[in-house]
Amino acid sequence: MKGHTYGSRRGVYVLTSYNTASVGEELAYLIQSLHRGTVIGEITSGNLMHSKTYEIEGTDIAITVPVINFLDNNGEYWLGGGVVPDAIVFAEEAVEHVHEIADLHRGLKSLIAATGDLLDKHYAIHEVALNVSKALMNKWDDGMYWSVIDLDSLASLLTADLQETSGDHRLHVFHCDIEPESLHDVPDIPTAEEVGQVINSVFKIELLHDNVGYLRMDMMPDVEVVKAIWPQMVKQVWRKIVNTGALIIDMRYNTGGYSSAVPLLCTYFFDDKPLQHLYTVFDRTKSTMTEVMTWPKVRGQRYGSSKGVYILTSHLTGSAAEVFIRSLKDLNKVTVVGEPTIGGSLSNGIYQIGESVLYVSIPNQVVFSAITGKMWSVSGVEPHVVAQANGALSVAQRLIAARQLKNKQGK
């Protein structure tokens, strides 16, 4: 070509309307599909595929047939129809939106780089953070962010890229006009009048057939809350099920909460001696490794280590609930029945991206198995017995009945 090219770094904005057709559509399509710019306006007319018209011999009828097809860089055929703009607006409003989107694009690179810097500083696995930061900037260089038209679409695209390149679905970018509260603020300690209400809202018990206890736990309270409610909890709940022959713990609706009480709760399913190593936590914010152990003393009677304990799970089970389940599963103290859990984070930090109203949620802790020493997977807990969540309770009951029958026959 003669003269200077416009180059590949500056913004190109193609404005379209319902009248945009044929070769005009081809230009819009190529700019968009090759990640060279942003298309703004109305969906085009849908005449991109070049056609020829033929008369049918001996009649007054003519037929128009597309004779050229297009394949994009992914090897996919253009399927007809109009070009769908990145920003769909009325044609007469397109110019106004160009200025808004161009202003946003001028600050995109710094926002993407700031996201990478936050990962580098806070993400639990530093090596992964470095690779993700590099991948984000490579995507910027390849023009993958020209489709961004507002902060919400940027948050969505950054989230997808973070999760794809890291393999960690817990990374999340979101748009919030006010500074979000920390997810792990110290909770309020219930008053004496509130204790009963807290117990009833978190725990539900039932005595099932054949001396089987049922305990439903819908959240993981902070350890200070547990200490406040535990004397009454032991009287109202624990004493009724601690002497059962087997126990079903229903965590299908437990999306998590605080992990601080996990060691205390786990302690009830071990003997008092020796203390049991449950798991090890690496905290990136403090650069510390902490071995988490069972407690030497607990209030009330322990359930013991010899009776059957079955935990029910679902795709909703997450976060601190998973820590409790995986700790007991690793140490062969429970049988897990249900669906794979969500794979939630032990601890997340929420950080502002630059001076914007975008925030990124970053897992800043990783957990290592007490048995293998390997890092726990982010994919969640796999049950011993896979079952649909709504049928997990009956499956667990059948397993218990089969075990009881086997024990009787053994005697």
Side-chain angles (χ1 to χ4, degrees):
M1 294 177 64
K2 295 182 179 179
H4 297 292
T5 61
Y6 190 72
S8 61
R9 296 294 179 182
R10 290 182 287 175
V12 174
Y13 301 90
V14 178
L15 310 187
T16 61
S17 75
Y18 294 122
N19 296 318
T20 307
S22 188
V23 180
E25 284 181 293
E26 187 175 342
L27 174 63
Y29 171 68
L30 290 172
I31 290 293
Q32 186 184 63
S33 65
L34 296 174
H35 310 294
R36 182 56 197 88
T38 311
V39 180
I40 303 168
E42 298 168 341
I43 299 173
T44 62
S45 67
N47 292 322
L48 174 60
M49 298 172 69
H50 299 278
S51 304
K52 288 186 177 180
T53 300
Y54 303 92
E55 291 185 2
I56 298 177
E57 187 176 352
T59 72
D60 295 328
I61 300 173
I63 183 170
T64 301
V65 180
V67 294
I68 296 178
N69 205 350
F70 293 88
L71 285 83
D72 63 19
N73 275 6
N74 298 316
E76 297 179 358
Y77 285 98
W78 175 261
L79 298 177
V83 176
V84 179
D86 299 297
I88 300 177
V89 299
F90 290 118
E92 57 269 21
E93 298 174 0
V95 173
E96 177 185 342
H97 280 80
V98 165
H99 295 298
E100 295 175 3
I101 294 171
D103 287 342
L104 173 65
H105 284 178
R106 277 188 279 273
L108 272 188
K109 186 175 183 180
S110 63
L111 289 174
I112 296 167
T115 304
D117 291 341
L118 288 171
L119 256 69
D120 184 29
K121 185 176 180 181
H122 299 289
Y123 188 60
I125 310 171
H126 189 229
E127 181 181 352
V128 173
L130 293 175
N131 292 336
V132 172
S133 299
K134 183 178 179 181
L136 291 181
M137 296 315 299
N138 287 341
K139 284 178 175 287
W140 161 260
D141 290 336
D142 292 340
M144 303 303 289
Y145 286 90
W146 284 119
S147 61
V148 168
I149 59 170
D150 53 28
L151 290 175
D152 286 325
S153 62
L154 175 59
S156 178
L157 187 53
L158 276 173
T159 296
D161 287 343
L162 289 174
Q163 294 179 359
E164 178 187 0
T165 53
S166 68
D168 190 340
H169 66 274
R170 303 168 301 175
L171 287 165
H172 180 65
V173 177
F174 60 96
H175 173 203
C176 189
D177 291 324
I178 58 174
E179 184 175 355
E181 296 179 3
S182 171
L183 295 180
H184 293 279
D185 288 339
V186 177
D188 294 331
I189 305 302
T191 63
E193 294 76 20
E194 296 170 334
V195 166
Q197 182 180 353
V198 172
I199 292 173
N200 291 334
S201 64
V202 176
F203 303 98
K204 295 177 178 62
I205 63 165
E206 189 176 346
L207 290 177
L208 305 177
H209 184 64
D210 287 335
N211 195 30
V212 175
Y214 171 84
L215 170 64
R216 175 169 161 175
M217 187 161 50
D218 286 350
M219 68 166 291
M220 301 297 288
D222 178 74
V223 68
E224 296 303 322
V225 174
V226 172
K227 288 178 181 178
I229 68 173
W230 210 243
Q232 194 167 331
M233 168 70 182
V234 170
K235 293 179 182 178
Q236 288 184 215
V237 176
W238 189 240
R239 284 181 182 175
K240 297 178 181 178
I241 58 176
V242 70
N243 291 313
T244 54
L247 179 64
I248 297 173
I249 304 176
D250 191 346
M251 306 190 82
R252 289 175 293 178
Y253 314 100
N254 192 323
T255 56
Y258 297 84
S259 62
S260 54
V262 168
L264 169 59
L265 298 175
C266 285
T267 299
Y268 280 87
F269 301 98
F270 292 90
D271 297 327
D272 55 349
K273 292 181 181 179
L275 296 183
Q276 179 65 55
H277 178 201
L278 297 172
Y279 53 89
T280 299
V281 178
F282 170 68
D283 190 324
R284 177 73 189 284
T285 61
K286 303 174 184 176
S287 295
T288 57
M289 294 281 283
T290 305
E291 288 191 353
V292 179
M293 310 291 292
T294 53
W295 287 27
K297 294 182 180 180
V298 290
R299 183 182 292 270
Q301 181 182 342
R302 297 175 187 243
Y303 195 75
S305 59
S306 60
K307 293 186 286 187
V309 179
Y310 299 79
I311 298 182
L312 311 183
T313 60
S314 76
H315 293 312
L316 299 175
T317 310
S319 186
E322 290 175 293
V323 178
F324 174 75
I325 298 167
R326 197 188 293 260
S327 300
L328 295 175
K329 182 189 176 191
D330 271 6
L331 296 166
N332 297 316
K333 292 296 180 183
V334 298
T335 300
V336 183
V337 181
E339 298 169 341
T341 62
I342 196 172
S345 175
L346 184 63
S347 176
N348 271 23
I350 296 177
Y351 308 96
Q352 185 178 10
I353 301 177
E355 299 298 321
S356 73
V357 290
L358 291 179
Y359 296 83
V360 57
S361 178
I362 300 176
N364 47 37
Q365 293 181 341
V366 290
V367 185
F368 296 89
S369 168
I371 301 301
T372 65
K374 295 181 179 180
M375 186 172 63
W376 281 355
S377 167
V378 300
S379 61
V381 180
E382 288 291 332
H384 294 101
V385 180
V386 177
Q388 289 188 343
N390 58 6
L393 176 57
S394 60
V395 171
Q397 288 177 295
R398 289 197 297 270
L399 291 172
I400 293 171
R403 180 175 177 178
Q404 290 175 336
L405 179 60
K406 183 178 179 180
N407 291 339
K408 289 179 182 178
Q409 291 174 341
K411 292 179 180 179

